[in-house]
Each structure stands twice: as C-alpha cells, then as structure tokens.
Amino acid sequence: MPKDFLWGGAVAAHQLEGAWQAGGKGVSIADVMTAGRNGVPRKVTDGVKDGEIYPNHWGDDFYHRYPEDVKLFEEMGFKCFRTSIAWTRIFPNGDEDEPNEAGLKFYDDLFDDLLAHGIQPVITLSHFEIPYHLVKEYGGFSNRKMIDFFLRFAKTVFKRYKDKVKYWMTFNEINNQTAWDDPHPLLQNSGLQLDKDDNWEQAMYQAAHYELVASALAVQAGHEINPDFQIGCMIAMCPIYPLTAKPEDVMMAERAMQKRYWFGDVHCWGEYPKWLPKYFDQKGFDMDITAADLAALKAGTVDYVGFSYYMSFVTKGQTGDTKYDFKEPEDFVENPYVEKSDWGWQIDPVGLRYSMNWMQDRWHLPQFIVENGFGAYDEKQADGSVHDDYRISYFRDHIKAMEEAVNLDGVDLIGYTPWGCIDLVSASTGEMAKRYGFIYVDADDNGEGSFDRSKKDSFDWYKQVIASDGEDL
Ligand code: P53
C-alpha cells in the first residue's frame, strides 16, 4: 500500500468511553440499552432503571485511560484513529442552544494527545448515540426538527476541531435500519420507538430521508467552515448474492442490493434512484420530501464512501414473482460456500473485493474501510497472553482482498481502520465477550475486572503489517 495510506483502528464513543455522566454528559440511547448475549437481544428500558445492567455506562473506561491506549496505538504504528464524538457530551439533551464546554474540552484533549503521537482523528458524528431526550420529546428522526438539532451539533464540532480533524463521517451505517421489524437498528440509527402496528417501513424511509438531508446540509456547512474537510457517508456494506444463476434469484438479489444501498446512491449522487419513488407509490407511502430537501441533497454530496465490511449475505427469488419485495432478514438464505463466526456472521474476504469494485463502479468516489474485524471469544492465558490466530487469519485474508481491489482493480482507497482495535462493548449484543481488539481489556459482561490492557498476538502481527505497508501478512 502507498506510504500515505491511513492504517489505523476504529471504535465508537458509546462503546468504549464509559463515564456516562462525566463532565455533564447527557443520557444517550446507548445508555438505556441493557446487556444481551449471543442470541439474547438487549432490552431497551424506559430511562435508566435501578437493578439493570447497562454495559455502555462503563465501556472499557477509555474516558479515563485513553493516554495509555493512545501509546499502544502509536506502538502499533497507527496513522489514524476513528472514533465518534458522543453527541450527549456536547449537547446533553440535544436541544440546548449552547454546547457543554466540558464535553468539548474532553475531545480537544483526546485529539491533541492523538496528534502529539502522530495519529490523526477520523470522526463519526452520529454513531448510535442520539440523545435520549430527543427520542422521548421529539420521536427521534421521525421529526423534521432533528435536522436542525443535528446540524447545530455538527457545526459546533466542525468549528471547534477544524484544525484538528480532516476526515469526518455523518451517520454511522445509515443503511443498517433496513432489517424488517427489528426494533434495535431503528432506535440505534434513527431514535425511533415504534408500536407494533405502526407502519415500520414508511417510518424507516422517512427517518432516513431526514438523516440524508441533515447529512447533506452538514457536508455543505463543513466545507464552508474548512474547504479541506473530507466528509464521507458511512455504509454497512454486506453484499447480497443470488443463491444460483436462476434469473429470479438474480433479480431478487438486485432488488435486495437496491433496498440496502439506495442510501449510498443519495449520499453520492445527490438524488434518489429511479426505482424508489415507484416503490413508495406501490406501497402507498406518503413521504414528506420537499423540493428544498431535494436541492439540499444535490448540493451536499459526500467526498468519499466510508464503509464497514464484516460479511456477505445470500438471497433467492420465487418463480412467478414480479414484486421481488425483498425483506430482511427473512429472505436471507445460507451461503453453502463460506464459514461463519460464533455469532453466525459469514466470513467472506472475496466479498470485500467484490464490494469495493461494486461501489467504485456505482459511486465513483474514493473509499475508506472504516470497520472490518472478527468478533470472537478470546481466552486469556495465565501469563496474560491471548493467542488469537483466528483473528489474524481473518485480517490476513481481508487485507489481501483489499490490496487486490486497490492494486489489481484500481480502487482509490484512503485507509483501513479495523473495528474495535481495543476490546469494547458489542453494539448488537452489549457483550464484552464478543471481542474484536488487538488489545485485550480485562473486563467481563458485568463490568467486573481490572480493566487493565494487554497485547494479544494480533497486536504484533498488525504492527508488522503496518510497518511493511501491508506487504508482510
Ligand atoms: P457488533 C450489524 C451488522 C454489521 C455491522 O458489531 C454492525 C451491526 C450492528 O451491530 O455494526 C457495526 O458490536 C457498528 C459498530 C459495531 C460493529 O459493527 O454487534 O458500526 O458499532 O460494534 C460490530 O459485533
């Protein structure tokens, strides 16, 4: 990989900072989600309740321990570090007129420390941590007012950190809310809490529309504040393959891809793809999309495509079907050709190369792999070591595929930041036990442990990958 390639690691504020009330921080949606387990969903409580376990309240205690972590990142050779700014540290309730100085100061200190160690911050604005007050009082992104609240937050941090941060992303995995009838992504992405009989699908499209407008306005505002800013979208890239060459399977996979990636079309093209207004008509969705919104989308296209890549999916069609009304996850089928993680995530490095080609052909923009990684049960040995050869093997195969996409296929790639470079709380299950890190954190699912840091085998392996510009895998 080229010398200026941004090797690094990625996290999100709510999953590792902890200190959920420090410095005047407000309650975010992550603070009302309890601990789940593999196969056991997290509960969302009505506010913070006594007697429940909320893992994001402590994370891995990065808020207090980051100077030690930043030194370890530097030792691995990180050129960048992706995290998010917790919205509730800056605007505790989300609808204040003035920001919270203590929160702003925390990120000043963190970014200064990173920069002093030669690591540039890469920042996500909204990563599953909407102020809970905005959910309760305004209904989250079902409400157009959210555009203004988000924009105030974005402009505040753009101005404050304009000389410290160059790479930004607006909404983390904006397309992760397409799963049918699953309440968690709707809350995490959009702050929606719907009743069973609400029109889930229309609500999702409407919230996503307001987010896309908010994102486009933020891109414009950011470029005015600093024309050198690079502001990207963030897409959860899980390509969906047809099960066979049967034409109906291929058409179903095409519709599945349209339904999962139209968000990227709007971010990158500044307009809706042709099939989607037709779909709204067919479904009878009454959407609030104004001419001013459409103008904003066109004027605020992103500079690059940030994306996560963990896995691929497969679907199949039905003979005689003309609707191809793909529903996630019920229309997914198993891929007979790939293995799975303990959490059922299908391991497919070729899918990364395929995705990068697909996005290049469709969106014509530089890309940034801002998440990729392997959640696994790690076993710490008596001497403190962790032999995570399964993780090394996942990374080796995926980095190889990434390098093929760049060097053989011509994809323009800014950087690579493996997810959870230090162990943190899982977004989907709330577990610590689903570990991703090169750095082990001694804490369990109940927040018990010393929280001490130690290096896994993958730590030295990744260090050597970076030192050799991706040659020595
Ligand atoms: P966890 C689902 C599918 C793909 C990526 O996920 C996802 C999710 C939602 O969990 O989320 C991203 O922790 C997300 C991170 C998250 C990471 O992937 O569930 O941006 O916040 O931690 C890994 O194993």
Side-chain angles (χ1 to χ4, degrees):
M1 303 302 288
K3 281 276 167 227
D4 60 353
F5 187 70
L6 292 180
W7 296 99
V11 299
H14 73 283
Q15 286 171 263
L16 91 168
E17 285 178 4
W20 68 293
Q21 290 178 301
K25 181 183 171 296
V27 176
S28 87
I29 50 178
D31 294 320
V32 298
M33 295 185 75
T34 66
R37 272 202 321 281
N38 195 353
V40 182
R42 308 178 73 171
K43 269 189 310 186
V44 178
T45 54
D46 187 17
V48 174
K49 300 283 180 211
D50 287 345
E52 297 284 359
I53 294 180
Y54 299 103
N56 300 74
H57 288 190
W58 52 81
D60 70 16
D61 199 29
F62 183 79
Y63 185 86
H64 298 110
R65 294 173 194 241
Y66 74 77
E68 181 186 348
D69 299 338
V70 170
K71 281 193 199 128
L72 290 166
F73 300 154
E74 183 188 31
E75 194 183 329
M76 271 188 280
F78 282 19
K79 314 281 186 258
C80 74
F81 176 63
R82 173 183 177 233
T83 187
S84 58
I85 294 177
W87 190 339
T88 49
R89 291 201 192 282
I90 313 302
F91 290 97
N93 281 326
D95 58 358
E96 295 89 344
D97 290 328
E98 295 301 323
N100 170 31
E101 179 55 31
L104 289 166
K105 168 92 170 42
F106 170 73
Y107 292 104
D108 262 324
D109 293 346
L110 171 62
F111 299 163
D112 288 345
D113 193 48
L114 286 163
L115 292 166
H117 289 84
I119 301 170
Q120 63 165 302
V122 170
I123 297 303
T124 319
L125 292 171
S126 183
H127 192 136
F128 305 168
E129 46 206 359
I130 294 172
Y132 186 57
H133 175 77
L134 296 183
V135 173
K136 294 302 275 186
E137 288 301 312
Y138 299 89
F141 271 96
S142 66
N143 190 331
R144 184 178 271 281
K145 285 194 182 131
M146 287 293 282
I147 297 175
D148 291 332
F149 296 139
F150 175 79
L151 211 55
R152 187 179 307 165
F153 165 54
K155 284 184 187 165
T156 302
V157 296
F158 283 157
K159 282 186 195 146
R160 178 82 170 211
Y161 309 119
K162 73 179 174 27
D163 300 319
K164 298 183 183 178
V165 178
K166 175 178 174 187
Y167 289 98
W168 301 84
M169 276 162 277
T170 53
F171 289 91
N172 185 65
E173 294 191 334
I174 189 167
N175 62 325
N176 221 357
Q177 43 192 328
T178 52
W180 185 258
D181 214 15
D182 180 351
H184 286 162
L186 285 178
L187 178 66
Q188 289 180 312
N189 283 87
S190 298
L192 299 186
Q193 289 194 299
L194 304 178
D195 290 327
K196 263 266 165 265
D197 51 356
D198 285 337
N199 187 341
W200 164 86
E201 204 187 0
Q202 175 172 324
M204 187 280 289
Y205 280 109
Q206 186 63 63
H209 173 73
Y210 292 148
E211 284 153 23
L212 289 161
V213 172
S215 171
L217 292 170
V219 169
Q220 289 179 68
H223 286 155
E224 275 164 29
I225 291 164
N226 183 347
D228 292 334
F229 276 176
Q230 293 292 301
I231 309 174
C233 56
M234 199 318 202
I235 301 290
M237 187 66 209
C238 311
I240 305 167
Y241 307 143
L243 180 63
T244 72
K246 183 181 168 191
E248 286 83 355
D249 287 359
V250 177
M251 183 59 215
M252 187 67 153
E254 168 65 10
R255 178 47 47 94
M257 289 294 277
Q258 288 173 322
K259 278 195 166 179
R260 240 191 112 84
Y261 300 105
W262 68 271
F263 305 79
D265 297 343
V266 178
H267 272 306
C268 299
W269 300 339
E271 58 187 54
Y272 274 78
K274 299 275 190 230
W275 69 273
L276 195 45
K278 292 275 186 205
Y279 182 75
F280 293 156
D281 286 349
Q282 286 155 31
K283 289 274 167 168
F285 293 167
D286 180 20
M287 300 287 295
D288 173 29
I289 300 177
T290 67
D293 291 348
L294 296 177
L297 294 176
K298 199 72 203 169
T301 55
V302 292
D303 299 315
Y304 69 95
V305 178
F307 69 98
S308 64
Y309 180 83
Y310 293 91
M311 58 190 151
S312 58
F313 294 120
V314 175
T315 190
K316 66 182 173 64
Q318 298 293 335
T319 308
D321 178 21
T322 53
K323 284 210 180 92
Y324 295 101
D325 195 3
F326 172 82
K327 283 197 183 67
E328 186 182 322
E330 66 189 60
D331 288 319
F332 285 145
V333 293
E334 298 261 315
N335 186 334
Y337 301 103
V338 304
E339 313 236 297
K340 290 193 247 169
S341 80
D342 287 331
W343 282 261
W345 292 22
Q346 305 186 111
I347 304 167
D348 174 15
V350 177
L352 173 58
R353 181 174 176 188
Y354 169 77
S355 299
M356 292 171 76
N357 276 273
W358 186 87
M359 289 189 281
Q360 166 168 269
D361 292 349
R362 194 174 179 100
W363 294 328
H364 305 172
L365 284 175
Q367 297 175 16
F368 199 155
I369 304 177
V370 295
E371 286 183 32
N372 173 233
F374 191 62
Y377 295 107
D378 288 337
E379 233 180 280
K380 194 169 151 187
Q381 308 299 316
D383 66 354
S385 59
V386 175
H387 303 307
D388 55 344
D389 46 306
Y390 36 89
R391 183 168 293 110
I392 292 173
S393 137
Y394 180 97
F395 279 126
R396 180 181 292 123
D397 294 346
H398 285 77
I399 292 175
K400 200 162 172 291
M402 164 183 97
E403 294 181 350
E404 286 161 355
V406 171
N407 295 316
L408 302 179
D409 309 330
V411 171
D412 181 2
L413 188 66
I414 298 165
Y416 177 72
T417 57
W419 176 251
C421 51
I422 178 165
D423 289 345
L424 39 59
V425 174
S426 156
S428 56
T429 68
E431 291 164 291
M432 267 309 277
K434 189 181 187 187
R435 293 175 184 272
Y436 284 88
F438 305 116
I439 300 167
Y440 188 90
V441 177
D442 178 43
D444 69 12
D445 288 346
N446 297 320
E448 309 285 339
S450 67
F451 287 76
D452 285 348
R453 278 62 171 145
S454 57
K455 298 172 190 172
K456 305 182 193 175
D457 288 355
S458 55
F459 184 101
D460 286 322
W461 179 82
Y462 189 47
K463 180 177 170 180
Q464 137 210 324
V465 171
I466 298 179
S468 66
D469 299 319
E471 184 89 45
D472 194 356
L473 296 176

